[in-house]
Amino acid sequence: MTNRKKYIDVSKGTAILIVLITHVFGLYAVDSEIHNHIMVICATLHNPTFYFMSGVLFYGTMKKYDRSKILKNKFLDLVVVFAVWVVIYTMYQIILGRTFYVENSITGYSVSAINSLWFLPTLFCGMSAVVLLDVLKHCKHIGIIVKNDLLLCMIWLLMILVTAFYSSGMAKIFTFSYIVWKGYLGKSKKHIERLDAAVWGINVAAVFVLNFAQTSDMSIPGWRLALILFMFVTGSIIIPQIMEHICEKKSESKVIDRLAKVGQNTVYIYILHFFVLYLFEAYGKINLFTCAICYVLCVFFPLAVGHVIKGKKIDYILFQPSKLLKRL
């Protein structure tokens, strides 16, 4: 594995472990201010990292395949997989009788499943935006704007800012689509990376000093949401930048190898850890110790399942239907 490939997997592995921290330990001490601040800061790192790295990898995909095939495959692997697992997790919650943060009804369980797996269709939106922009580059008039990365960047950020005051859902779609596009363009120049890191650091300090960010702010339109989304944009390069530097210095480290292994299985961990999380919420006694046990299970249960099913028909049906279509 090359250092570049390893840094991509290590970045994804680090990000998914932070995702699990927010999902599992987010159940503990939910009324604490420091808890809210840490959850917001973690959110500005893990999801943006995935979207950024997806954009980096999507560049190679765009070079290999035609646009219609890319969209068809991504629709199958993201939107169809999303729909399948929403049904599975709705039924699973009904069986458990889960009531933690959830209305005890089919609608409530369905909404909970959709909110859990929102990453998948949002990533499809980001990749679709990249494909659309690539097509528009060849248009006579609008192509002038699309080919100008700086102008397009300013327009995109303005759309994020405006929608942040009206619709949190739409603002997040614009934000994460922008981050996918940012990754697709390739790594920025070093001084831009440092600027992003500095701005993100200043925002983190402001979160603690001014006490302005709560987890609820990520769902409520307004200036707080706008600032958090700006942290998403600037925070998207933090983990990749750190991990690329570490992989250059310690590429043979066993810890790095383990993180890379986790990064290669993020799709299983992201989707399957909800089996453990929902069970824990339904029947577990929530304290720091049980959260730690739940966290370990959320990592190793999906890894074990992925190891058993990888490359088999059930794997293609539930996680990679585009590969199943190729075999038919």
Short mmCIF file of all heavy atoms in Angstrom, two decimals, residues 236-273:
data_model
loop_
_atom_site.label_atom_id
_atom_site.label_comp_id
_atom_site.label_asym_id
_atom_site.label_seq_id
_atom_site.Cartn_x
_atom_site.Cartn_y
_atom_site.Cartn_z
N SER A 236 -12.73 20.17 7.18
CA SER A 236 -12.69 18.98 6.33
C SER A 236 -11.28 18.52 6.01
O SER A 236 -11.07 17.35 5.65
CB SER A 236 -13.45 19.25 5.02
OG SER A 236 -12.85 20.32 4.29
N ILE A 237 -10.29 19.41 6.13
CA ILE A 237 -8.91 19.02 5.78
C ILE A 237 -8.07 18.71 7.01
O ILE A 237 -6.91 18.30 6.87
CB ILE A 237 -8.22 20.12 4.93
CG1 ILE A 237 -8.26 21.49 5.64
CG2 ILE A 237 -8.86 20.23 3.57
CD1 ILE A 237 -7.15 21.77 6.55
N ILE A 238 -8.60 18.89 8.21
CA ILE A 238 -7.81 18.74 9.43
C ILE A 238 -7.28 17.31 9.58
O ILE A 238 -6.07 17.07 9.68
CB ILE A 238 -8.62 19.13 10.68
CG1 ILE A 238 -9.07 20.60 10.60
CG2 ILE A 238 -7.79 18.89 11.95
CD1 ILE A 238 -7.95 21.60 10.61
N ILE A 239 -8.19 16.33 9.61
CA ILE A 239 -7.78 14.94 9.79
C ILE A 239 -6.93 14.44 8.61
O ILE A 239 -5.86 13.85 8.83
CB ILE A 239 -9.00 14.03 10.02
CG1 ILE A 239 -9.62 14.33 11.39
CG2 ILE A 239 -8.60 12.55 9.94
CD1 ILE A 239 -10.89 13.54 11.69
N PRO A 240 -7.33 14.67 7.34
CA PRO A 240 -6.46 14.24 6.24
C PRO A 240 -5.07 14.85 6.28
O PRO A 240 -4.07 14.16 6.01
CB PRO A 240 -7.23 14.72 4.99
CG PRO A 240 -8.65 14.75 5.42
CD PRO A 240 -8.62 15.19 6.85
N GLN A 241 -4.99 16.12 6.66
CA GLN A 241 -3.69 16.79 6.72
C GLN A 241 -2.80 16.16 7.79
O GLN A 241 -1.62 15.88 7.56
CB GLN A 241 -3.90 18.28 7.02
CG GLN A 241 -2.65 19.13 6.87
CD GLN A 241 -2.95 20.61 7.10
OE1 GLN A 241 -4.02 20.97 7.55
NE2 GLN A 241 -1.98 21.46 6.78
N ILE A 242 -3.38 15.91 8.95
CA ILE A 242 -2.62 15.32 10.05
C ILE A 242 -2.20 13.89 9.69
O ILE A 242 -1.03 13.50 9.90
CB ILE A 242 -3.46 15.31 11.35
CG1 ILE A 242 -3.67 16.75 11.85
CG2 ILE A 242 -2.78 14.47 12.43
CD1 ILE A 242 -4.64 16.85 13.01
N MET A 243 -3.12 13.12 9.15
CA MET A 243 -2.83 11.72 8.85
C MET A 243 -1.84 11.56 7.70
O MET A 243 -1.03 10.63 7.69
CB MET A 243 -4.12 10.96 8.54
CG MET A 243 -5.03 10.83 9.75
SD MET A 243 -4.15 10.11 11.17
CE MET A 243 -5.04 10.84 12.53
N GLU A 244 -1.88 12.44 6.73
CA GLU A 244 -0.90 12.38 5.65
C GLU A 244 0.51 12.63 6.20
O GLU A 244 1.47 11.94 5.83
CB GLU A 244 -1.22 13.41 4.57
CG GLU A 244 -0.28 13.33 3.38
CD GLU A 244 -0.64 14.29 2.27
OE1 GLU A 244 -1.28 15.32 2.56
OE2 GLU A 244 -0.29 14.01 1.12
N HIS A 245 0.62 13.59 7.12
CA HIS A 245 1.91 13.89 7.74
C HIS A 245 2.40 12.70 8.56
O HIS A 245 3.58 12.32 8.48
CB HIS A 245 1.79 15.13 8.62
CG HIS A 245 3.05 15.49 9.34
ND1 HIS A 245 4.14 16.06 8.71
CD2 HIS A 245 3.41 15.34 10.65
CE1 HIS A 245 5.11 16.24 9.58
NE2 HIS A 245 4.69 15.83 10.76
N ILE A 246 1.50 12.08 9.34
CA ILE A 246 1.87 10.93 10.17
C ILE A 246 2.29 9.75 9.30
O ILE A 246 3.28 9.06 9.59
CB ILE A 246 0.72 10.54 11.10
CG1 ILE A 246 0.50 11.63 12.17
CG2 ILE A 246 0.98 9.18 11.77
CD1 ILE A 246 -0.69 11.38 13.07
N CYS A 247 1.54 9.50 8.21
CA CYS A 247 1.87 8.37 7.33
C CYS A 247 3.22 8.55 6.65
O CYS A 247 3.91 7.57 6.35
CB CYS A 247 0.77 8.18 6.29
SG CYS A 247 -0.76 7.48 6.96
N GLU A 248 3.60 9.78 6.40
CA GLU A 248 4.91 10.04 5.80
C GLU A 248 6.03 9.73 6.79
O GLU A 248 7.10 9.28 6.40
CB GLU A 248 5.00 11.50 5.37
CG GLU A 248 4.17 11.83 4.13
CD GLU A 248 4.19 13.30 3.81
OE1 GLU A 248 4.75 14.10 4.62
OE2 GLU A 248 3.64 13.69 2.76
N LYS A 249 5.76 9.96 8.08
CA LYS A 249 6.79 9.77 9.11
C LYS A 249 6.80 8.35 9.67
O LYS A 249 7.87 7.80 9.97
CB LYS A 249 6.56 10.76 10.25
CG LYS A 249 6.59 12.23 9.83
CD LYS A 249 7.97 12.67 9.37
CE LYS A 249 7.98 14.15 9.04
NZ LYS A 249 9.32 14.58 8.54
N LYS A 250 5.60 7.76 9.82
CA LYS A 250 5.50 6.46 10.50
C LYS A 250 4.60 5.52 9.72
O LYS A 250 3.62 4.99 10.25
CB LYS A 250 4.97 6.64 11.92
CG LYS A 250 5.87 7.50 12.81
CD LYS A 250 5.32 7.60 14.22
CE LYS A 250 6.24 8.41 15.12
NZ LYS A 250 5.73 8.52 16.50
N SER A 251 4.91 5.30 8.46
CA SER A 251 4.05 4.49 7.60
C SER A 251 4.02 3.02 8.01
O SER A 251 3.09 2.29 7.67
CB SER A 251 4.51 4.61 6.15
OG SER A 251 5.83 4.14 6.01
N GLU A 252 5.03 2.55 8.73
CA GLU A 252 5.10 1.14 9.11
C GLU A 252 4.57 0.88 10.52
O GLU A 252 4.67 -0.22 11.03
CB GLU A 252 6.55 0.64 9.02
CG GLU A 252 7.19 0.81 7.65
CD GLU A 252 6.38 0.14 6.54
OE1 GLU A 252 5.89 -0.98 6.78
OE2 GLU A 252 6.24 0.74 5.46
N SER A 253 4.01 1.88 11.16
CA SER A 253 3.48 1.73 12.51
C SER A 253 2.30 0.77 12.52
O SER A 253 1.44 0.79 11.64
CB SER A 253 3.05 3.10 13.06
OG SER A 253 2.27 2.96 14.21
N LYS A 254 2.23 -0.08 13.55
CA LYS A 254 1.12 -1.02 13.68
C LYS A 254 -0.20 -0.29 13.93
O LYS A 254 -1.26 -0.74 13.48
CB LYS A 254 1.41 -2.01 14.81
CG LYS A 254 2.51 -3.01 14.49
CD LYS A 254 2.67 -4.04 15.59
CE LYS A 254 3.74 -5.07 15.24
NZ LYS A 254 3.91 -6.09 16.30
N VAL A 255 -0.14 0.81 14.67
CA VAL A 255 -1.34 1.60 14.93
C VAL A 255 -1.89 2.16 13.62
O VAL A 255 -3.11 2.12 13.37
CB VAL A 255 -1.05 2.76 15.91
CG1 VAL A 255 -2.27 3.66 16.05
CG2 VAL A 255 -0.64 2.20 17.27
N ILE A 256 -1.00 2.66 12.77
CA ILE A 256 -1.40 3.19 11.47
C ILE A 256 -2.02 2.08 10.62
O ILE A 256 -3.04 2.28 9.94
CB ILE A 256 -0.20 3.82 10.74
CG1 ILE A 256 0.29 5.07 11.49
CG2 ILE A 256 -0.55 4.17 9.30
CD1 ILE A 256 -0.72 6.16 11.60
N ASP A 257 -1.41 0.89 10.66
CA ASP A 257 -1.95 -0.24 9.90
C ASP A 257 -3.35 -0.62 10.38
O ASP A 257 -4.23 -0.94 9.58
CB ASP A 257 -1.03 -1.45 10.02
CG ASP A 257 0.28 -1.26 9.26
OD1 ASP A 257 0.33 -0.40 8.36
OD2 ASP A 257 1.26 -1.97 9.57
N ARG A 258 -3.56 -0.57 11.70
CA ARG A 258 -4.89 -0.90 12.26
C ARG A 258 -5.92 0.14 11.83
O ARG A 258 -7.06 -0.20 11.49
CB ARG A 258 -4.82 -0.98 13.78
CG ARG A 258 -3.92 -2.09 14.34
CD ARG A 258 -4.46 -3.48 14.06
NE ARG A 258 -3.64 -4.51 14.67
CZ ARG A 258 -2.56 -5.05 14.13
NH1 ARG A 258 -2.17 -4.63 12.92
NH2 ARG A 258 -1.88 -6.00 14.74
N LEU A 259 -5.52 1.40 11.88
CA LEU A 259 -6.44 2.47 11.46
C LEU A 259 -6.79 2.34 9.98
O LEU A 259 -7.92 2.58 9.57
CB LEU A 259 -5.82 3.85 11.74
CG LEU A 259 -5.91 4.38 13.16
CD1 LEU A 259 -5.12 5.67 13.29
CD2 LEU A 259 -7.37 4.60 13.57
N ALA A 260 -5.78 1.98 9.18
CA ALA A 260 -6.02 1.79 7.75
C ALA A 260 -7.00 0.65 7.52
O ALA A 260 -7.89 0.73 6.65
CB ALA A 260 -4.70 1.52 7.02
N LYS A 261 -6.87 -0.42 8.30
CA LYS A 261 -7.80 -1.56 8.20
C LYS A 261 -9.22 -1.13 8.54
O LYS A 261 -10.18 -1.51 7.87
CB LYS A 261 -7.34 -2.68 9.14
CG LYS A 261 -8.13 -3.97 9.02
CD LYS A 261 -7.86 -4.65 7.70
CE LYS A 261 -8.55 -6.01 7.64
NZ LYS A 261 -8.33 -6.68 6.35
N VAL A 262 -9.35 -0.33 9.59
CA VAL A 262 -10.66 0.20 9.95
C VAL A 262 -11.21 1.07 8.81
O VAL A 262 -12.38 0.98 8.45
CB VAL A 262 -10.58 1.03 11.25
CG1 VAL A 262 -11.88 1.78 11.51
CG2 VAL A 262 -10.25 0.12 12.43
N GLY A 263 -10.33 1.90 8.23
CA GLY A 263 -10.74 2.78 7.14
C GLY A 263 -11.22 2.04 5.91
O GLY A 263 -12.06 2.55 5.15
N GLN A 264 -10.71 0.83 5.68
CA GLN A 264 -11.13 0.03 4.53
C GLN A 264 -12.50 -0.61 4.75
O GLN A 264 -13.09 -1.15 3.80
CB GLN A 264 -10.10 -1.07 4.27
CG GLN A 264 -8.75 -0.55 3.79
CD GLN A 264 -7.64 -1.57 3.92
OE1 GLN A 264 -7.89 -2.75 4.21
NE2 GLN A 264 -6.40 -1.15 3.72
N ASN A 265 -13.01 -0.54 5.97
CA ASN A 265 -14.29 -1.18 6.30
C ASN A 265 -15.30 -0.18 6.86
O ASN A 265 -16.22 -0.58 7.58
CB ASN A 265 -14.06 -2.30 7.32
CG ASN A 265 -13.30 -3.47 6.74
OD1 ASN A 265 -13.87 -4.36 6.12
ND2 ASN A 265 -11.98 -3.48 6.92
N THR A 266 -15.16 1.09 6.51
CA THR A 266 -16.03 2.11 7.10
C THR A 266 -17.50 1.91 6.72
O THR A 266 -18.38 2.24 7.51
CB THR A 266 -15.58 3.52 6.68
OG1 THR A 266 -15.41 3.57 5.25
CG2 THR A 266 -14.28 3.90 7.36
N VAL A 267 -17.78 1.39 5.52
CA VAL A 267 -19.17 1.22 5.13
C VAL A 267 -19.87 0.22 6.04
O VAL A 267 -21.03 0.42 6.44
CB VAL A 267 -19.29 0.78 3.65
CG1 VAL A 267 -18.67 -0.59 3.42
CG2 VAL A 267 -20.76 0.78 3.21
N TYR A 268 -19.18 -0.85 6.42
CA TYR A 268 -19.77 -1.83 7.35
C TYR A 268 -19.94 -1.22 8.74
O TYR A 268 -20.97 -1.40 9.38
CB TYR A 268 -18.87 -3.07 7.45
CG TYR A 268 -18.65 -3.79 6.15
CD1 TYR A 268 -17.39 -3.85 5.57
CD2 TYR A 268 -19.71 -4.40 5.48
CE1 TYR A 268 -17.18 -4.52 4.36
CE2 TYR A 268 -19.51 -5.07 4.27
CZ TYR A 268 -18.25 -5.12 3.72
OH TYR A 268 -18.04 -5.77 2.53
N ILE A 269 -18.92 -0.50 9.20
CA ILE A 269 -18.99 0.09 10.55
C ILE A 269 -20.09 1.13 10.62
O ILE A 269 -20.89 1.16 11.57
CB ILE A 269 -17.63 0.71 10.93
CG1 ILE A 269 -16.55 -0.38 11.01
CG2 ILE A 269 -17.73 1.44 12.28
CD1 ILE A 269 -15.15 0.16 11.23
N TYR A 270 -20.16 1.99 9.60
CA TYR A 270 -21.16 3.06 9.61
C TYR A 270 -22.58 2.50 9.64
O TYR A 270 -23.43 2.92 10.43
CB TYR A 270 -20.98 3.97 8.40
CG TYR A 270 -22.09 4.98 8.25
CD1 TYR A 270 -22.21 6.03 9.16
CD2 TYR A 270 -23.05 4.87 7.25
CE1 TYR A 270 -23.24 6.96 9.05
CE2 TYR A 270 -24.08 5.78 7.13
CZ TYR A 270 -24.17 6.82 8.03
OH TYR A 270 -25.19 7.73 7.93
N ILE A 271 -22.86 1.52 8.79
CA ILE A 271 -24.22 1.00 8.69
C ILE A 271 -24.55 0.04 9.83
O ILE A 271 -25.62 0.14 10.46
CB ILE A 271 -24.43 0.31 7.33
CG1 ILE A 271 -24.38 1.35 6.20
CG2 ILE A 271 -25.77 -0.44 7.30
CD1 ILE A 271 -24.50 0.76 4.80
N LEU A 272 -23.63 -0.87 10.14
CA LEU A 272 -23.95 -1.96 11.07
C LEU A 272 -23.85 -1.57 12.55
O LEU A 272 -24.43 -2.26 13.39
CB LEU A 272 -23.05 -3.16 10.80
CG LEU A 272 -23.26 -3.87 9.46
CD1 LEU A 272 -22.26 -5.00 9.28
CD2 LEU A 272 -24.69 -4.40 9.35
N HIS A 273 -23.15 -0.49 12.87
CA HIS A 273 -23.01 -0.17 14.29
C HIS A 273 -24.34 0.22 14.92
O HIS A 273 -24.50 0.17 16.14
CB HIS A 273 -21.96 0.93 14.51
CG HIS A 273 -22.47 2.33 14.37
ND1 HIS A 273 -22.56 2.97 13.15
CD2 HIS A 273 -22.91 3.22 15.30
CE1 HIS A 273 -23.03 4.20 13.34
NE2 HIS A 273 -23.26 4.37 14.62
#
